[in-house]
């Protein structure tokens, strides 16, 4: 509880009157008027637990913060004596029913009551090992990935461009770094960080503080010559160590790329690495190394993200549609488009010749925050049939497979159905009455997409979240042209982003004010 702080909202900054904020110094505490959170506890349902007490000694000069750690007793008779069922302390995503496991799930959970108890209960587990009470049984975002001998290292530059091997790789934190390392012909065999063995000789723990290990396998090897030419090797299982060869030192590690596979329960299942190996000559005094790590959830198709979590301006709006019979076919919620492998919302792409009938196929992604408009010109002749023309224009505006849903966040996962916003479809007709011709039909002439989004989360770091998407098809009445006559009409697609964030309530102040009484000599000697 000494590390918990619910009022610590600002990153690397001191929160006013937050006595448990680790970013506050003694000078900051001297200006506080009170402690906004005087007591911090863990689970209030426990019979006995530690509590952190915070207060201010206003009699001191200057005022000081007082911290105490006490044992707090819960007087309720319905308190929890020991949390011996650790799995109840964290949430795991339920198993999705498919055609293969539906009968098994129905047999297990289909009755009026079912047992959720683990296979064995150990009431004395906490008493026997109190030091492990705060151990984590799954990886969480940003937690350093543990190995047998420490942490998975991802070297990065420090104050200068020199490489530091003390940077741990964080779980689900995609990183890419470049740094410079001193190495020469004489030392290439003794510098560990230029050897493949330095990056694969330690196994990763599947979950923190566990005995289950995941070996790092070599996925690919690429050789880079002195002039920069790269060659992919076929035998990636061979360990190539740095060695002197004539006037060169070969098999120097120039690039490392990790790829980690994990489950939705925060467990690492696989770890692979790709190397770029090069060579140096006698004139070289240092090399530049690049390091990268990426993550992918097991049994899911990785797609590019557009933010984490909120959308980033300029990145594509992610979209998809639900397969028929979901969820029983065992497919992901997000399905691949016929012409759009990255699952993005797209509109018609303008071409140089502006001919609609020649513009079918090319699409441009809708970028978050960018109002866009595109179009083409349609030349109509008397020989054209109305119904085939109407369907052709509709396919031109919407594409081959217009999505049904849009991701509310830039990192929405395919299996999180509630994170996807359905697209509302509207149809507007423009009536153009003419007494010259008797026969007429409706053809679509424009597609207008309105994306409504809002600021979500903290005022300090708001995240962009899509809350509504409307696609409006506008049709017009096309009159039958006489023989030999032609007509040209514009066909347009547009996207508009609208901020629908709720305004601040009356009397609400977005920025906090500090109500403090300054000491009489605060401005001394000024």
């Amino acid at each position: 509880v000494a590390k918990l702080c619910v009022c610590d909202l600002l990153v690397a900054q001191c929160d006013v009157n937050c006595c448990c904020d680790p970013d506050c110094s003694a000078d900051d505490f001297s200006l506080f008027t009170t402690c906004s959170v005087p007591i911090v506890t863990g689970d209030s349902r426990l019979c006995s637990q530690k509590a952190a007490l915070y207060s201010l000694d206003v009699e001191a000069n200057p005022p000081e913060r007082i911290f105490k750690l006490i044992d707090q007793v819960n007087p309720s008779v319905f308190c929890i004596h020991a949390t011996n069922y650790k799995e109840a302390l964290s949430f795991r995503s339920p198993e999705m029913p498919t055609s293969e496991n539906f009968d098994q799930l129905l047999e297990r959970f289909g009755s009026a009551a079912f047992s959720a108890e683990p296979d064995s209960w150990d009431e004395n587990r906490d008493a026997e090992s109190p030091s492990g009470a705060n151990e984590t049984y799954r990886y969480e975002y940003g937690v350093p990935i543990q190995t047998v001998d420490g942490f998975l290292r991802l070297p990065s530059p420090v104050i200068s461009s020199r490489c530091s091997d003390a940077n741990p790789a964080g779980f689900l934190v995609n990183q890419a770094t470049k740094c410079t390392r001193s190495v020469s012909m004489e030392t290439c065999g003794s510098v560990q960080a230029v050897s493949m063995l330095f990056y694969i000789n330690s196994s990763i723990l599947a979950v923190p503080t566990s005995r289950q290990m995941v070996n790092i396998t070599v996925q690919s090897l690429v050789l880079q010559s002195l002039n920069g030419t790269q060659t992919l090797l076929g035998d990636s299982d061979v360990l190539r160590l740095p060695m002197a060869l004539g006037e060169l030192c070969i098999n120097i590690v120039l690039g490392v790329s990790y790829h980690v596979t994990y489950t939705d329960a925060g467990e690492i299942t696989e770890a692979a690495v790709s190397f770029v190996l090069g060579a140096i000559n006698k004139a070289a005094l240092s090399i530049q190394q690049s390091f990268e790590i990426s993550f992918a959830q097991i049994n899911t198709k990785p797609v590019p993200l557009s933010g984490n979590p909120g959308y980033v301006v300029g990145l594509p709006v992610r979209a998809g549609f639900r397969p028929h019979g979901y969820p029983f076919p065992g497919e992901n919620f997000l399905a691949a488009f016929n012409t759009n492998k990255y699952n993005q919302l797209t509109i018609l792409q303008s071409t140089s010749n502006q001919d609609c009938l020649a513009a079918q196929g090319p699409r441009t992604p809708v970028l978050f925050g960018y109002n866009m408009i595109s179009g083409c010109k349609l030349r109509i002749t008397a020989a054209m049939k109305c119904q085939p023309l109407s369907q052709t224009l509709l396919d031109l505006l919407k594409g081959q497979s217009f999505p049904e849903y849009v991701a509310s966040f830039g990192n929405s996962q395919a299996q999180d159905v509630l994170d996807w916003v359905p697209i509302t479809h509207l149809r507007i007709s423009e009536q153009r009455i003419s007494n010259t011709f008797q026969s007429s039909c409706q053809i679509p002439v424009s597609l207008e997409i309105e994306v409504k989004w809002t600021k979500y989360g903290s005022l300090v770091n708001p995240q962009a979240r899509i809350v509504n998407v409307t696609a409006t098809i506008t049709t017009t009445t096309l009159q039958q042209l006489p023989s030999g006559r032609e007509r040209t009409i514009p066909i347009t697609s547009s996207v508009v982003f609208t901020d629908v964030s709720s305004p601040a309530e009356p009397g609400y102040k977005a920025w906090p004010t500090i109500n403090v009484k300054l000491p009489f000599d605060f401005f001394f000697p000024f």
Side-chain angles (χ1 to χ4, degrees):
V1 292
K3 297 182 180 180
L4 298 178
C5 190
V6 295
C7 57
D8 183 11
L9 302 179
L10 301 179
V11 179
Q13 297 183 41
C14 178
D15 292 79
V16 178
N17 289 339
C18 183
C19 295
C20 56
D21 192 343
D23 298 319
C24 297
S25 63
D27 294 335
D28 297 322
F29 291 136
S30 65
L31 297 176
F32 286 5
T33 58
T34 183
C35 290
S36 58
V37 180
I39 180 172
V40 178
T41 60
D43 193 344
S44 60
R45 298 171 297 177
L46 294 177
C47 297
S48 177
Q49 62 175 326
K50 294 288 184 181
L53 300 182
Y54 298 93
S55 61
L56 291 177
D57 183 6
V58 295
E59 301 296 333
N61 187 17
E64 299 176 349
R65 184 198 68 167
I66 301 176
F67 168 73
K68 292 182 180 180
L69 195 62
I70 65 172
D71 292 321
Q72 189 178 51
V73 178
N74 188 353
S76 174
V77 295
F78 298 105
C79 59
I80 300 176
H81 178 68
T83 55
N84 51 8
Y85 183 28
K86 292 297 183 181
E87 295 182 1
L89 300 179
S90 60
F91 173 76
R92 290 191 178 186
S93 300
E95 185 177 0
M96 295 298 297
T98 64
S99 56
E100 288 78 15
N101 67 357
F102 182 80
D103 294 335
Q104 177 184 357
L105 295 178
L106 182 63
E107 180 180 357
R108 182 179 177 185
F109 301 107
S111 58
F114 54 87
S115 174
E117 294 184 359
D119 296 335
S120 62
W121 291 78
D122 186 1
E123 298 182 356
N124 297 322
R125 179 170 56 183
D126 289 347
E128 293 175 357
S129 57
S131 61
N134 293 327
E135 291 181 352
T136 304
Y137 293 92
R138 64 171 180 174
Y139 281 108
E140 297 179 352
Y141 177 84
V143 173
I145 298 177
Q146 296 184 14
T147 60
V148 176
D149 56 355
F151 299 98
L152 182 64
R153 293 180 289 261
L154 195 72
S156 63
V158 283
I159 300 177
S160 63
S161 61
R162 297 292 179 180
C163 292
S164 171
D165 298 326
N167 179 45
F171 183 65
L172 296 185
V173 180
N174 294 331
Q175 299 184 61
T177 62
K178 289 184 179 180
C179 55
T180 304
R181 193 179 299 275
S182 299
V183 64
S184 61
M185 281 285 298
E186 293 75 16
T187 62
C188 71
S190 59
V191 179
Q192 295 183 354
V194 299
S195 172
M196 288 177 55
L197 195 61
F198 181 73
Y199 303 97
I200 61 175
N201 63 348
S202 183
S203 299
I204 294 176
L205 301 186
V207 293
T209 66
S210 72
R211 297 182 180 179
Q212 183 180 357
M213 295 177 293
V214 178
N215 294 327
I216 303 176
T217 59
V218 180
Q219 192 173 40
S220 65
L221 285 177
V222 174
L223 285 184
Q224 179 174 307
S225 62
L226 292 176
N227 60 5
T229 305
Q230 294 186 345
T231 304
L232 178 64
L233 300 181
D235 52 344
S236 59
D237 297 335
V238 179
L239 182 63
R240 297 175 178 265
L241 300 178
M243 57 180 296
L245 184 64
E247 297 184 353
L248 298 177
C249 184
I250 62 174
N251 298 333
I252 298 293
V253 173
L254 301 179
V256 181
S257 178
Y258 290 104
H259 185 74
V260 179
T261 305
Y262 66 96
T263 67
D264 57 356
E267 178 183 354
I268 295 178
T269 58
E270 294 180 7
V273 62
S274 301
F275 289 101
V276 176
L277 304 180
I280 59 173
N281 52 27
K282 292 183 177 181
L285 299 177
S286 63
I287 59 172
Q288 185 182 60
Q289 293 179 307
S290 61
F291 303 92
E292 183 179 358
I293 186 169
S294 60
F295 298 84
Q297 186 172 329
I298 192 172
N299 296 329
T300 60
K301 179 182 178 181
V303 294
L305 302 182
S306 297
N308 187 22
Y311 275 98
V312 176
V313 175
L315 295 184
V317 174
R318 303 177 61 228
F321 57 91
R322 184 162 50 186
H324 296 292
Y326 177 87
F328 295 106
E331 303 180 24
N332 281 335
F333 175 81
L334 194 62
F337 295 112
N338 295 332
T339 59
N340 184 9
K341 62 181 179 179
Y342 293 120
N343 305 309
Q344 299 167 354
L345 186 64
T346 61
I347 61 173
L348 170 67
Q349 179 177 337
S350 299
T351 57
S352 57
N353 56 14
Q354 293 292 305
D355 186 1
C356 289
L357 298 182
Q360 295 187 17
R363 311 282 296 178
T364 185
V366 175
L367 305 180
F368 183 83
Y370 286 6
N371 296 336
M372 308 169 64
I373 186 169
S374 63
C376 58
K377 294 181 179 180
L378 176 65
R379 186 169 60 90
I380 302 175
T381 63
M384 290 183 175
K385 301 297 182 181
C386 178
Q387 295 300 333
L389 178 62
S390 177
Q391 186 61 43
T392 300
L393 291 177
L394 189 62
D395 294 340
L396 176 68
L397 291 172
K398 301 179 68 174
Q400 294 186 7
S401 298
F402 193 78
E404 299 174 353
Y405 296 83
V406 166
S408 58
F409 291 102
N411 66 344
S412 297
Q413 298 295 320
Q415 64 271 19
D416 298 332
V417 181
L418 297 180
D419 271 0
W420 295 82
V421 178
I423 299 177
T424 303
H425 295 270
L426 300 178
R427 203 176 187 93
I428 300 177
S429 176
E430 294 181 354
Q431 297 293 335
R432 297 182 181 179
I433 302 176
S434 175
N435 297 327
T436 307
F437 307 104
Q438 296 182 354
S439 60
S440 62
C441 72
Q442 296 281 334
I443 62 170
V445 292
S446 71
L447 170 64
E448 300 174 0
I449 301 176
E450 183 183 18
V451 181
K452 295 181 180 180
W453 64 280
T454 183
K455 299 182 180 70
Y456 182 84
S458 170
L459 290 174
V460 179
N461 185 24
Q463 302 294 308
R465 175 186 183 184
I466 294 178
V467 294
N468 180 267
V469 179
T470 303
T472 303
I473 291 288
T474 302
T475 61
T476 188
T477 303
L478 176 65
Q479 305 292 348
Q480 180 65 41
L481 295 175
S483 178
R485 294 282 300 273
E486 293 184 356
R487 182 183 175 186
T488 302
I489 61 174
I491 306 297
T492 60
S493 294
S494 63
V495 179
V496 175
F497 287 85
T498 305
D499 184 0
V500 294
S501 302
S502 300
E505 299 179 1
Y508 176 81
K509 297 180 179 179
W511 300 103
T513 58
I514 304 176
N515 183 19
V516 296
K517 183 179 180 181
L518 299 178
F520 70 94
D521 58 345
F522 181 79
F523 294 101
F524 179 81
F526 304 101

